[in-house]
Amino acid sequence: EGLSFKVSGLSSGKDYSFGIFDATGKQIQEIKVPSGQHELRLNVELYQPGVYIAILKGDEQIIESSRFVIAK
């Protein structure tokens, strides 16, 4: 099982990452976005059912956030 995130318009030379947070606000995973990559695939097989938030950061500034639900 997987989840894809597509990102566009990222400036080169910045460090980007996705933080995945559970409903309590606890960060459960962080994924570095390789330079020049515009799609990330996240393995959610081990995630418990529930609501999660993915936050895209660039140089520690929040750029975008998205909520998703895992149901099994």
Side-chain angles (χ1 to χ4, degrees):
E1 295 182 26
L3 185 65
S4 290
F5 293 96
K6 291 188 179 191
V7 293
S8 61
L10 299 182
S11 301
S12 59
K14 281 190 174 184
D15 292 324
Y16 293 97
S17 65
F18 267 106
I20 308 297
F21 298 83
D22 66 14
T24 68
K26 178 183 171 193
Q27 183 169 332
I28 57 169
Q29 189 171 6
E30 183 175 26
I31 306 154
K32 300 288 184 195
V33 179
S35 182
Q37 187 166 337
H38 299 289
E39 184 172 353
L40 285 176
R41 189 141 177 85
L42 177 64
N43 182 349
V44 295
E45 194 173 300
L46 299 178
Y47 285 28
Q48 296 298 314
V51 176
Y52 294 87
I53 298 171
I55 296 178
L56 175 63
K57 290 184 181 180
D59 288 341
E60 298 303 314
Q61 298 290 321
I62 294 175
I63 297 172
E64 186 72 45
S65 65
S66 182
R67 187 170 50 164
F68 61 97
V69 176
I70 301 294
K72 295 182 182 182

